[in-house]
Amino acid sequence: MKLAILGPLSRSYEEIRVIEEAAKVFSSTSYFAIPQINVEIRKGNFALTYKNKDLMNYEVIYPRIPRTYKKFGATILSLLQQGGAQLPITPESLVLSHNKFLTLLLLQERDIPVPETYMAVKRETLEHALEKLDYPLVMKLIYGSKGAGVMFADSKQSAVSVMDALERFNEPIFVEEFIKNKGEDVRLYIVGGRVISSMKRVAKEGEMRSNIGIGGVGEKYEPTHEEKRMALKSAKVLEMDICGIDIMHGPNGPVVIEANVNAQFQGLEKADSKNVAGEIVKYLRRQGAFWRS
Ligand SMILES: Nc1ncnc2c1ncn2[C@@H]1O[C@H](COP(=O)(O)OP(=O)(O)O)[C@@H](O)[C@H]1O
Ligand SMILES: [Mg+2]
């Protein structure tokens, strides 16, 4: 059985680890960089090629499509789907999960607790949120990741100046209730309807964002029943068989703050001593056998 991984031009730790583990269970593993994929519409048919290789020949596909290629990536996934491939990440879920606001909207519609959230393109339309929310409040870039794009404002005055800058750059203004805690959150890694690894992340001294890439420290953590239930339901609602769900605990209980379609797992493998890449590959292999049977 052959595996195709679709990802960015330069491979991250995660892609390299999945390729390494895949070599143990797949007859062949190929890595396709999205910008080198070519789509053609031909008479009565279409083709999806990468340097003369036909992408439709792969039984199992693992998409790790970065935000920059979200739209083209979704097109590729749709074509693969039309060709009969079952995907752990659907084209719709790729687009949705790269948009923090739409993700939270869908989760709350399905009764999963999320922070109170507002979005607008003009600051003056958010005046009521600035009056209502406690400070600090959180502002985010809709497509931010790795902590970059998350901003905190201690007062209405500083929130207004950040919002004016966002408005100037034509960026949607995304405002969120600040979840009061010590700068900790919990990451649950889901593969095929199971929590296969988890950790608590603690922000470094003087920092409110707990992302590992900006100094947060991952610790081994056994999730509660409630956290597992929320994370599994989130993955299901968002139609992602493989993903990382982030949960924060505030005074009103746990809330899902983010769903990561291309979740990193280097910090997680270190904190939790689990073979996350191995679990992903085993799942893809099992599903491949099931889909093709
Ligand atoms: N509403 C919030 N209240 C308090 N802290 C937050 C909130 N949202 C995010 N954070 C902190 O910022 C970090 C990054 O936020 P997140 O939305 O996950 O963005 P990214 O995609 O950049 O990881 C979180 O891990 C958490 O530590
Ligand atoms: Mg995050």
Side-chain angles (χ1 to χ4, degrees), residues 69-102:
Y69 302 124
K70 178 183 67 174
K71 288 184 184 160
F72 184 50
T75 306
I76 294 172
L77 294 186
S78 299
L79 294 176
L80 288 166
Q81 220 171 26
Q82 282 180 42
Q86 292 288 323
L87 303 162
I89 309 291
T90 61
E92 297 77 19
S93 59
L94 176 74
V95 174
L96 194 73
S97 59
H98 275 302
N99 182 321
K100 285 178 195 287
F101 188 85
L102 291 179

PDB file of all heavy atoms in Angstrom, residues 69-102:
ATOM      1  N   TYR A  69      -1.319  27.605   1.449  1.00  0.00           N
ATOM      2  CA  TYR A  69      -1.836  26.852   0.299  1.00  0.00           C
ATOM      3  C   TYR A  69      -3.227  26.300   0.560  1.00  0.00           C
ATOM      4  O   TYR A  69      -3.662  25.344  -0.074  1.00  0.00           O
ATOM      5  CB  TYR A  69      -0.877  25.707  -0.057  1.00  0.00           C
ATOM      6  CG  TYR A  69       0.508  26.186  -0.368  1.00  0.00           C
ATOM      7  CD1 TYR A  69       1.605  25.697   0.327  1.00  0.00           C
ATOM      8  CD2 TYR A  69       0.718  27.158  -1.348  1.00  0.00           C
ATOM      9  CE1 TYR A  69       2.884  26.147   0.054  1.00  0.00           C
ATOM     10  CE2 TYR A  69       1.984  27.620  -1.625  1.00  0.00           C
ATOM     11  CZ  TYR A  69       3.069  27.112  -0.923  1.00  0.00           C
ATOM     12  OH  TYR A  69       4.318  27.569  -1.198  1.00  0.00           O
ATOM     13  N   LYS A  70      -3.918  26.934   1.516  1.00  0.00           N
ATOM     14  CA  LYS A  70      -5.231  26.442   1.934  1.00  0.00           C
ATOM     15  C   LYS A  70      -6.188  26.249   0.748  1.00  0.00           C
ATOM     16  O   LYS A  70      -6.791  25.179   0.610  1.00  0.00           O
ATOM     17  CB  LYS A  70      -5.776  27.476   2.923  1.00  0.00           C
ATOM     18  CG  LYS A  70      -7.116  27.227   3.467  1.00  0.00           C
ATOM     19  CD  LYS A  70      -7.510  28.383   4.357  1.00  0.00           C
ATOM     20  CE  LYS A  70      -7.684  29.652   3.549  1.00  0.00           C
ATOM     21  NZ  LYS A  70      -8.199  30.793   4.278  1.00  0.00           N
ATOM     22  N   LYS A  71      -6.297  27.243  -0.122  1.00  0.00           N
ATOM     23  CA  LYS A  71      -7.301  27.155  -1.195  1.00  0.00           C
ATOM     24  C   LYS A  71      -6.890  26.140  -2.260  1.00  0.00           C
ATOM     25  O   LYS A  71      -7.692  25.304  -2.668  1.00  0.00           O
ATOM     26  CB  LYS A  71      -7.543  28.528  -1.830  1.00  0.00           C
ATOM     27  CG  LYS A  71      -8.301  29.430  -0.894  1.00  0.00           C
ATOM     28  CD  LYS A  71      -8.620  30.748  -1.532  1.00  0.00           C
ATOM     29  CE  LYS A  71      -9.288  31.663  -0.523  1.00  0.00           C
ATOM     30  NZ  LYS A  71      -9.179  33.064  -0.926  1.00  0.00           N
ATOM     31  N   PHE A  72      -5.645  26.214  -2.682  1.00  0.00           N
ATOM     32  CA  PHE A  72      -5.172  25.249  -3.674  1.00  0.00           C
ATOM     33  C   PHE A  72      -5.207  23.845  -3.056  1.00  0.00           C
ATOM     34  O   PHE A  72      -5.607  22.863  -3.699  1.00  0.00           O
ATOM     35  CB  PHE A  72      -3.749  25.624  -4.116  1.00  0.00           C
ATOM     36  CG  PHE A  72      -3.205  24.746  -5.205  1.00  0.00           C
ATOM     37  CD1 PHE A  72      -3.947  24.490  -6.347  1.00  0.00           C
ATOM     38  CD2 PHE A  72      -1.932  24.184  -5.100  1.00  0.00           C
ATOM     39  CE1 PHE A  72      -3.442  23.682  -7.363  1.00  0.00           C
ATOM     40  CE2 PHE A  72      -1.421  23.380  -6.114  1.00  0.00           C
ATOM     41  CZ  PHE A  72      -2.177  23.123  -7.246  1.00  0.00           C
ATOM     42  N   GLY A  73      -4.811  23.764  -1.804  1.00  0.00           N
ATOM     43  CA  GLY A  73      -4.821  22.474  -1.095  1.00  0.00           C
ATOM     44  C   GLY A  73      -6.220  21.880  -1.044  1.00  0.00           C
ATOM     45  O   GLY A  73      -6.409  20.679  -1.253  1.00  0.00           O
ATOM     46  N   ALA A  74      -7.214  22.726  -0.798  1.00  0.00           N
ATOM     47  CA  ALA A  74      -8.591  22.229  -0.726  1.00  0.00           C
ATOM     48  C   ALA A  74      -9.037  21.720  -2.101  1.00  0.00           C
ATOM     49  O   ALA A  74      -9.752  20.724  -2.204  1.00  0.00           O
ATOM     50  CB  ALA A  74      -9.523  23.334  -0.233  1.00  0.00           C
ATOM     51  N   THR A  75      -8.581  22.402  -3.166  1.00  0.00           N
ATOM     52  CA  THR A  75      -8.906  21.944  -4.525  1.00  0.00           C
ATOM     53  C   THR A  75      -8.293  20.563  -4.761  1.00  0.00           C
ATOM     54  O   THR A  75      -8.957  19.646  -5.262  1.00  0.00           O
ATOM     55  CB  THR A  75      -8.343  22.943  -5.578  1.00  0.00           C
ATOM     56  OG1 THR A  75      -8.839  24.226  -5.254  1.00  0.00           O
ATOM     57  CG2 THR A  75      -8.733  22.568  -6.988  1.00  0.00           C
ATOM     58  N   ILE A  76      -7.041  20.415  -4.387  1.00  0.00           N
ATOM     59  CA  ILE A  76      -6.364  19.123  -4.572  1.00  0.00           C
ATOM     60  C   ILE A  76      -7.113  18.027  -3.799  1.00  0.00           C
ATOM     61  O   ILE A  76      -7.373  16.941  -4.331  1.00  0.00           O
ATOM     62  CB  ILE A  76      -4.895  19.199  -4.081  1.00  0.00           C
ATOM     63  CG1 ILE A  76      -4.111  20.150  -4.980  1.00  0.00           C
ATOM     64  CG2 ILE A  76      -4.240  17.825  -4.066  1.00  0.00           C
ATOM     65  CD1 ILE A  76      -2.717  20.446  -4.467  1.00  0.00           C
ATOM     66  N   LEU A  77      -7.477  18.337  -2.563  1.00  0.00           N
ATOM     67  CA  LEU A  77      -8.186  17.326  -1.754  1.00  0.00           C
ATOM     68  C   LEU A  77      -9.531  16.967  -2.385  1.00  0.00           C
ATOM     69  O   LEU A  77      -9.924  15.807  -2.401  1.00  0.00           O
ATOM     70  CB  LEU A  77      -8.381  17.810  -0.313  1.00  0.00           C
ATOM     71  CG  LEU A  77      -7.106  17.990   0.528  1.00  0.00           C
ATOM     72  CD1 LEU A  77      -7.461  18.319   1.981  1.00  0.00           C
ATOM     73  CD2 LEU A  77      -6.211  16.765   0.484  1.00  0.00           C
ATOM     74  N   SER A  78     -10.230  17.971  -2.941  1.00  0.00           N
ATOM     75  CA  SER A  78     -11.519  17.676  -3.592  1.00  0.00           C
ATOM     76  C   SER A  78     -11.319  16.729  -4.769  1.00  0.00           C
ATOM     77  O   SER A  78     -12.097  15.802  -4.965  1.00  0.00           O
ATOM     78  CB  SER A  78     -12.168  18.927  -4.157  1.00  0.00           C
ATOM     79  OG  SER A  78     -12.430  19.816  -3.154  1.00  0.00           O
ATOM     80  N   LEU A  79     -10.278  16.986  -5.541  1.00  0.00           N
ATOM     81  CA  LEU A  79     -10.034  16.136  -6.712  1.00  0.00           C
ATOM     82  C   LEU A  79      -9.679  14.715  -6.268  1.00  0.00           C
ATOM     83  O   LEU A  79     -10.160  13.737  -6.838  1.00  0.00           O
ATOM     84  CB  LEU A  79      -8.909  16.720  -7.575  1.00  0.00           C
ATOM     85  CG  LEU A  79      -9.240  18.057  -8.244  1.00  0.00           C
ATOM     86  CD1 LEU A  79      -8.042  18.615  -8.985  1.00  0.00           C
ATOM     87  CD2 LEU A  79     -10.422  17.900  -9.192  1.00  0.00           C
ATOM     88  N   LEU A  80      -8.865  14.624  -5.226  1.00  0.00           N
ATOM     89  CA  LEU A  80      -8.501  13.294  -4.719  1.00  0.00           C
ATOM     90  C   LEU A  80      -9.747  12.559  -4.231  1.00  0.00           C
ATOM     91  O   LEU A  80      -9.922  11.370  -4.464  1.00  0.00           O
ATOM     92  CB  LEU A  80      -7.468  13.414  -3.586  1.00  0.00           C
ATOM     93  CG  LEU A  80      -6.064  13.822  -4.050  1.00  0.00           C
ATOM     94  CD1 LEU A  80      -5.210  14.260  -2.877  1.00  0.00           C
ATOM     95  CD2 LEU A  80      -5.391  12.656  -4.783  1.00  0.00           C
ATOM     96  N   GLN A  81     -10.616  13.324  -3.577  1.00  0.00           N
ATOM     97  CA  GLN A  81     -11.860  12.751  -3.068  1.00  0.00           C
ATOM     98  C   GLN A  81     -12.732  12.251  -4.234  1.00  0.00           C
ATOM     99  O   GLN A  81     -13.278  11.157  -4.185  1.00  0.00           O
ATOM    100  CB  GLN A  81     -12.616  13.828  -2.303  1.00  0.00           C
ATOM    101  CG  GLN A  81     -13.277  13.345  -1.058  1.00  0.00           C
ATOM    102  CD  GLN A  81     -13.827  14.517  -0.251  1.00  0.00           C
ATOM    103  OE1 GLN A  81     -14.138  15.582  -0.791  1.00  0.00           O
ATOM    104  NE2 GLN A  81     -13.952  14.313   1.036  1.00  0.00           N
ATOM    105  N   GLN A  82     -12.808  13.081  -5.272  1.00  0.00           N
ATOM    106  CA  GLN A  82     -13.576  12.667  -6.459  1.00  0.00           C
ATOM    107  C   GLN A  82     -13.008  11.405  -7.087  1.00  0.00           C
ATOM    108  O   GLN A  82     -13.730  10.604  -7.659  1.00  0.00           O
ATOM    109  CB  GLN A  82     -13.554  13.772  -7.520  1.00  0.00           C
ATOM    110  CG  GLN A  82     -14.505  14.891  -7.224  1.00  0.00           C
ATOM    111  CD  GLN A  82     -14.421  15.961  -8.320  1.00  0.00           C
ATOM    112  OE1 GLN A  82     -14.337  15.674  -9.496  1.00  0.00           O
ATOM    113  NE2 GLN A  82     -14.424  17.212  -7.897  1.00  0.00           N
ATOM    114  N   GLY A  83     -11.688  11.249  -6.945  1.00  0.00           N
ATOM    115  CA  GLY A  83     -11.035  10.055  -7.477  1.00  0.00           C
ATOM    116  C   GLY A  83     -11.223   8.847  -6.574  1.00  0.00           C
ATOM    117  O   GLY A  83     -10.665   7.796  -6.829  1.00  0.00           O
ATOM    118  N   GLY A  84     -11.935   9.038  -5.475  1.00  0.00           N
ATOM    119  CA  GLY A  84     -12.254   7.900  -4.608  1.00  0.00           C
ATOM    120  C   GLY A  84     -11.418   7.809  -3.334  1.00  0.00           C
ATOM    121  O   GLY A  84     -11.595   6.890  -2.535  1.00  0.00           O
ATOM    122  N   ALA A  85     -10.495   8.768  -3.111  1.00  0.00           N
ATOM    123  CA  ALA A  85      -9.672   8.692  -1.896  1.00  0.00           C
ATOM    124  C   ALA A  85     -10.497   9.100  -0.669  1.00  0.00           C
ATOM    125  O   ALA A  85     -11.300  10.032  -0.747  1.00  0.00           O
ATOM    126  CB  ALA A  85      -8.462   9.605  -2.034  1.00  0.00           C
ATOM    127  N   GLN A  86     -10.319   8.385   0.398  1.00  0.00           N
ATOM    128  CA  GLN A  86     -10.911   8.771   1.681  1.00  0.00           C
ATOM    129  C   GLN A  86      -9.820   9.558   2.397  1.00  0.00           C
ATOM    130  O   GLN A  86      -8.691   9.096   2.475  1.00  0.00           O
ATOM    131  CB  GLN A  86     -11.261   7.525   2.502  1.00  0.00           C
ATOM    132  CG  GLN A  86     -12.385   6.710   1.919  1.00  0.00           C
ATOM    133  CD  GLN A  86     -13.720   7.412   2.075  1.00  0.00           C
ATOM    134  OE1 GLN A  86     -13.955   8.052   3.087  1.00  0.00           O
ATOM    135  NE2 GLN A  86     -14.561   7.299   1.078  1.00  0.00           N
ATOM    136  N   LEU A  87     -10.177  10.722   2.916  1.00  0.00           N
ATOM    137  CA  LEU A  87      -9.129  11.574   3.475  1.00  0.00           C
ATOM    138  C   LEU A  87      -9.310  11.778   4.979  1.00  0.00           C
ATOM    139  O   LEU A  87     -10.437  11.973   5.429  1.00  0.00           O
ATOM    140  CB  LEU A  87      -9.190  12.940   2.787  1.00  0.00           C
ATOM    141  CG  LEU A  87      -9.061  12.916   1.264  1.00  0.00           C
ATOM    142  CD1 LEU A  87      -9.557  14.216   0.668  1.00  0.00           C
ATOM    143  CD2 LEU A  87      -7.614  12.663   0.872  1.00  0.00           C
ATOM    144  N   PRO A  88      -8.219  11.768   5.737  1.00  0.00           N
ATOM    145  CA  PRO A  88      -8.359  12.035   7.171  1.00  0.00           C
ATOM    146  C   PRO A  88      -8.739  13.493   7.452  1.00  0.00           C
ATOM    147  O   PRO A  88      -9.206  13.826   8.531  1.00  0.00           O
ATOM    148  CB  PRO A  88      -6.986  11.696   7.749  1.00  0.00           C
ATOM    149  CG  PRO A  88      -6.045  11.764   6.599  1.00  0.00           C
ATOM    150  CD  PRO A  88      -6.829  11.469   5.355  1.00  0.00           C
ATOM    151  N   ILE A  89      -8.488  14.351   6.459  1.00  0.00           N
ATOM    152  CA  ILE A  89      -8.857  15.774   6.546  1.00  0.00           C
ATOM    153  C   ILE A  89      -9.621  16.087   5.266  1.00  0.00           C
ATOM    154  O   ILE A  89      -9.065  15.966   4.179  1.00  0.00           O
ATOM    155  CB  ILE A  89      -7.594  16.683   6.581  1.00  0.00           C
ATOM    156  CG1 ILE A  89      -6.576  16.242   7.648  1.00  0.00           C
ATOM    157  CG2 ILE A  89      -7.946  18.153   6.700  1.00  0.00           C
ATOM    158  CD1 ILE A  89      -6.996  16.445   9.077  1.00  0.00           C
ATOM    159  N   THR A  90     -10.871  16.487   5.371  1.00  0.00           N
ATOM    160  CA  THR A  90     -11.643  16.778   4.159  1.00  0.00           C
ATOM    161  C   THR A  90     -11.296  18.191   3.651  1.00  0.00           C
ATOM    162  O   THR A  90     -10.768  19.014   4.408  1.00  0.00           O
ATOM    163  CB  THR A  90     -13.158  16.718   4.444  1.00  0.00           C
ATOM    164  OG1 THR A  90     -13.455  17.703   5.439  1.00  0.00           O
ATOM    165  CG2 THR A  90     -13.591  15.353   4.933  1.00  0.00           C
ATOM    166  N   PRO A  91     -11.609  18.486   2.388  1.00  0.00           N
ATOM    167  CA  PRO A  91     -11.329  19.842   1.883  1.00  0.00           C
ATOM    168  C   PRO A  91     -12.041  20.901   2.723  1.00  0.00           C
ATOM    169  O   PRO A  91     -11.476  21.952   3.021  1.00  0.00           O
ATOM    170  CB  PRO A  91     -11.900  19.833   0.462  1.00  0.00           C
ATOM    171  CG  PRO A  91     -12.204  18.424   0.119  1.00  0.00           C
ATOM    172  CD  PRO A  91     -12.192  17.598   1.352  1.00  0.00           C
ATOM    173  N   GLU A  92     -13.262  20.593   3.135  1.00  0.00           N
ATOM    174  CA  GLU A  92     -14.035  21.563   3.934  1.00  0.00           C
ATOM    175  C   GLU A  92     -13.367  21.778   5.292  1.00  0.00           C
ATOM    176  O   GLU A  92     -13.257  22.897   5.779  1.00  0.00           O
ATOM    177  CB  GLU A  92     -15.467  21.071   4.157  1.00  0.00           C
ATOM    178  CG  GLU A  92     -16.317  20.916   2.906  1.00  0.00           C
ATOM    179  CD  GLU A  92     -16.014  19.662   2.084  1.00  0.00           C
ATOM    180  OE1 GLU A  92     -15.406  18.725   2.644  1.00  0.00           O
ATOM    181  OE2 GLU A  92     -16.384  19.623   0.898  1.00  0.00           O
ATOM    182  N   SER A  93     -12.908  20.689   5.890  1.00  0.00           N
ATOM    183  CA  SER A  93     -12.318  20.835   7.229  1.00  0.00           C
ATOM    184  C   SER A  93     -10.980  21.566   7.154  1.00  0.00           C
ATOM    185  O   SER A  93     -10.587  22.242   8.096  1.00  0.00           O
ATOM    186  CB  SER A  93     -12.188  19.490   7.935  1.00  0.00           C
ATOM    187  OG  SER A  93     -11.395  18.619   7.198  1.00  0.00           O
ATOM    188  N   LEU A  94     -10.289  21.434   6.032  1.00  0.00           N
ATOM    189  CA  LEU A  94      -9.021  22.159   5.870  1.00  0.00           C
ATOM    190  C   LEU A  94      -9.278  23.664   5.898  1.00  0.00           C
ATOM    191  O   LEU A  94      -8.625  24.411   6.630  1.00  0.00           O
ATOM    192  CB  LEU A  94      -8.364  21.758   4.539  1.00  0.00           C
ATOM    193  CG  LEU A  94      -7.088  22.510   4.207  1.00  0.00           C
ATOM    194  CD1 LEU A  94      -5.931  22.035   5.061  1.00  0.00           C
ATOM    195  CD2 LEU A  94      -6.741  22.378   2.725  1.00  0.00           C
ATOM    196  N   VAL A  95     -10.262  24.101   5.137  1.00  0.00           N
ATOM    197  CA  VAL A  95     -10.566  25.532   5.055  1.00  0.00           C
ATOM    198  C   VAL A  95     -11.070  26.044   6.407  1.00  0.00           C
ATOM    199  O   VAL A  95     -10.633  27.075   6.913  1.00  0.00           O
ATOM    200  CB  VAL A  95     -11.610  25.797   3.942  1.00  0.00           C
ATOM    201  CG1 VAL A  95     -12.060  27.241   3.936  1.00  0.00           C
ATOM    202  CG2 VAL A  95     -11.028  25.421   2.581  1.00  0.00           C
ATOM    203  N   LEU A  96     -11.946  25.272   6.992  1.00  0.00           N
ATOM    204  CA  LEU A  96     -12.553  25.664   8.265  1.00  0.00           C
ATOM    205  C   LEU A  96     -11.514  25.760   9.387  1.00  0.00           C
ATOM    206  O   LEU A  96     -11.451  26.737  10.128  1.00  0.00           O
ATOM    207  CB  LEU A  96     -13.605  24.602   8.621  1.00  0.00           C
ATOM    208  CG  LEU A  96     -14.565  24.951   9.708  1.00  0.00           C
ATOM    209  CD1 LEU A  96     -15.546  25.979   9.205  1.00  0.00           C
ATOM    210  CD2 LEU A  96     -15.304  23.697  10.153  1.00  0.00           C
ATOM    211  N   SER A  97     -10.671  24.744   9.476  1.00  0.00           N
ATOM    212  CA  SER A  97      -9.748  24.696  10.614  1.00  0.00           C
ATOM    213  C   SER A  97      -8.641  25.726  10.490  1.00  0.00           C
ATOM    214  O   SER A  97      -7.998  26.054  11.476  1.00  0.00           O
ATOM    215  CB  SER A  97      -9.159  23.302  10.757  1.00  0.00           C
ATOM    216  OG  SER A  97      -8.488  22.998   9.568  1.00  0.00           O
ATOM    217  N   HIS A  98      -8.418  26.247   9.291  1.00  0.00           N
ATOM    218  CA  HIS A  98      -7.424  27.318   9.167  1.00  0.00           C
ATOM    219  C   HIS A  98      -8.039  28.668   9.526  1.00  0.00           C
ATOM    220  O   HIS A  98      -7.343  29.680   9.491  1.00  0.00           O
ATOM    221  CB  HIS A  98      -6.839  27.362   7.756  1.00  0.00           C
ATOM    222  CG  HIS A  98      -5.679  26.410   7.564  1.00  0.00           C
ATOM    223  ND1 HIS A  98      -4.540  26.468   8.334  1.00  0.00           N
ATOM    224  CD2 HIS A  98      -5.485  25.377   6.710  1.00  0.00           C
ATOM    225  CE1 HIS A  98      -3.696  25.529   7.942  1.00  0.00           C
ATOM    226  NE2 HIS A  98      -4.253  24.842   6.965  1.00  0.00           N
ATOM    227  N   ASN A  99      -9.329  28.687   9.811  1.00  0.00           N
ATOM    228  CA  ASN A  99      -9.990  29.940  10.182  1.00  0.00           C
ATOM    229  C   ASN A  99     -10.471  29.836  11.631  1.00  0.00           C
ATOM    230  O   ASN A  99     -11.422  29.129  11.944  1.00  0.00           O
ATOM    231  CB  ASN A  99     -11.164  30.179   9.230  1.00  0.00           C
ATOM    232  CG  ASN A  99     -11.887  31.477   9.504  1.00  0.00           C
ATOM    233  OD1 ASN A  99     -12.081  31.861  10.654  1.00  0.00           O
ATOM    234  ND2 ASN A  99     -12.304  32.144   8.456  1.00  0.00           N
ATOM    235  N   LYS A 100      -9.754  30.528  12.533  1.00  0.00           N
ATOM    236  CA  LYS A 100     -10.039  30.383  13.964  1.00  0.00           C
ATOM    237  C   LYS A 100     -11.482  30.751  14.310  1.00  0.00           C
ATOM    238  O   LYS A 100     -12.095  30.147  15.172  1.00  0.00           O
ATOM    239  CB  LYS A 100      -9.110  31.270  14.787  1.00  0.00           C
ATOM    240  CG  LYS A 100      -7.692  30.758  14.892  1.00  0.00           C
ATOM    241  CD  LYS A 100      -6.873  31.766  15.683  1.00  0.00           C
ATOM    242  CE  LYS A 100      -5.383  31.543  15.540  1.00  0.00           C
ATOM    243  NZ  LYS A 100      -4.894  30.391  16.255  1.00  0.00           N
ATOM    244  N   PHE A 101     -12.001  31.781  13.639  1.00  0.00           N
ATOM    245  CA  PHE A 101     -13.343  32.238  13.995  1.00  0.00           C
ATOM    246  C   PHE A 101     -14.393  31.204  13.589  1.00  0.00           C
ATOM    247  O   PHE A 101     -15.261  30.836  14.380  1.00  0.00           O
ATOM    248  CB  PHE A 101     -13.643  33.594  13.340  1.00  0.00           C
ATOM    249  CG  PHE A 101     -14.929  34.187  13.827  1.00  0.00           C
ATOM    250  CD1 PHE A 101     -14.947  34.937  14.999  1.00  0.00           C
ATOM    251  CD2 PHE A 101     -16.113  33.982  13.151  1.00  0.00           C
ATOM    252  CE1 PHE A 101     -16.132  35.475  15.480  1.00  0.00           C
ATOM    253  CE2 PHE A 101     -17.303  34.508  13.628  1.00  0.00           C
ATOM    254  CZ  PHE A 101     -17.315  35.261  14.799  1.00  0.00           C
ATOM    255  N   LEU A 102     -14.312  30.720  12.357  1.00  0.00           N
ATOM    256  CA  LEU A 102     -15.305  29.744  11.886  1.00  0.00           C
ATOM    257  C   LEU A 102     -15.220  28.451  12.699  1.00  0.00           C
ATOM    258  O   LEU A 102     -16.225  27.787  12.933  1.00  0.00           O
ATOM    259  CB  LEU A 102     -15.108  29.447  10.391  1.00  0.00           C
ATOM    260  CG  LEU A 102     -15.447  30.605   9.451  1.00  0.00           C
ATOM    261  CD1 LEU A 102     -15.188  30.210   8.009  1.00  0.00           C
ATOM    262  CD2 LEU A 102     -16.902  31.045   9.629  1.00  0.00           C
TER     263      LEU A 102
END
